[in-house]
Amino acid sequence: MQKIIKTLSVLLVLTLIVSAFAGCAKRSRADQNEEKDIAKETKVLVVYFSWSGHLNSMAHWIADETGGDIIRVLAKDEYPESYNETADRAKNEKDEGIRPEIKDTLTADELAKYDTIFLGFPVWWYDLPMPMWTFLESFDFSGKTVIPFFSHEGSSDGAGSLSTISKLAAGATVKADDALSLRGGKVDSSENDVREWVKNLGYSK
Ligand SMILES: Cc1cc2nc3c(=O)[nH]c(=O)nc-3n(C[C@H](O)[C@H](O)[C@H](O)COP(=O)(O)O)c2cc1C
């Protein structure tokens, strides 16, 4: 009898461990569809990069709450489906200072229409993903207000990303102290928090 109880207990513990890991399993890569909606009469632009979809959700809530336009930054050479391959490539790009080519986002004339840029990204290797470096270096942000928002799996202060934005968007007012930080696993249940953040900044439409 004792043996049966012991076996059942071991099985129960194993089941609990497996379900816990399944619960934290990483999302698979989100779609890599291009996105550009800049036809509205608005001074607000939401720009985001996302690999597994968290920033995609956050960016859409912000665009909806502000009534702003939205564009997505995508590498011309797509990141792989595999997390490990993406992590390796991203690490190499970061270590080597590579600026991956990005798909067309905006023209300088199109960017001129906006006063405020909400800039969204996942923390990658303790910094901005390198395609965002490419994006920021492609334009002149002087006189604009840049408000960062990001998700992470531990780098809740954004690690080096916020100072990189200030460096690359020289001449802009970067609202690093107002940046929105969410752990990836919390994003799906945080729509209200994201909208509240926008409201508190005074950008609700
Ligand atoms: C290549 C890569 C590097 C990452 N580096 C970090 C990191 O340095 N710090 C951290 O907290 N999270 C890191 N993460 C986790 C992501 O920031 C986190 O999963 C985020 O929510 C993903 O957003 P997304 O779904 O929009 O791609 C990394 C993820 C990937 C794929």
Side-chain angles (χ1 to χ4, degrees), residues 31-154:
D31 74 67
Q32 298 294 293
N33 295 340
E34 285 179 55
E35 175 161 44
K36 182 171 180 176
D37 176 7
I38 57 162
K40 295 186 215 93
E41 281 302 314
T42 172
K43 299 272 182 198
V44 174
L45 176 68
V46 180
V47 179
Y48 76 97
F49 175 88
S50 181
W51 181 74
S52 65
H54 294 129
L55 269 302
N56 193 315
S57 303
M58 291 167 77
H60 278 272
W61 296 327
I62 294 167
D64 186 60
E65 189 62 36
T66 56
D69 287 341
I70 188 165
I71 60 161
R72 181 174 187 177
V73 174
L74 283 168
K76 272 193 184 162
D77 178 14
E78 279 184 16
Y79 288 91
E81 293 275 350
S82 144
Y83 174 81
N84 287 340
E85 284 173 31
T86 297
D88 288 349
R89 174 171 148 193
K91 174 131 190 5
N92 182 54
E93 288 172 351
K94 173 84 202 332
D95 290 349
E96 302 295 325
I98 293 167
R99 288 8 177 212
E101 276 191 75
I102 56 175
K103 295 190 179 169
D104 286 340
T105 49
L106 293 169
T107 63
D109 282 351
E110 285 168 339
L111 186 74
K113 151 184 169 192
Y114 305 102
D115 291 341
T116 303
I117 318 287
F118 282 82
L119 191 78
F121 56 91
V123 179
W124 271 16
W125 293 110
Y126 310 103
D127 213 311
L128 275 189
M130 293 310 287
M132 287 306 247
W133 290 59
T134 312
F135 174 78
L136 289 173
E137 288 174 344
S138 303
F139 296 100
D140 177 7
F141 291 92
S142 341
K144 302 196 186 294
T145 299
V146 174
I147 308 178
F149 62 100
F150 58 92
S151 75
H152 61 86
E153 277 308 327

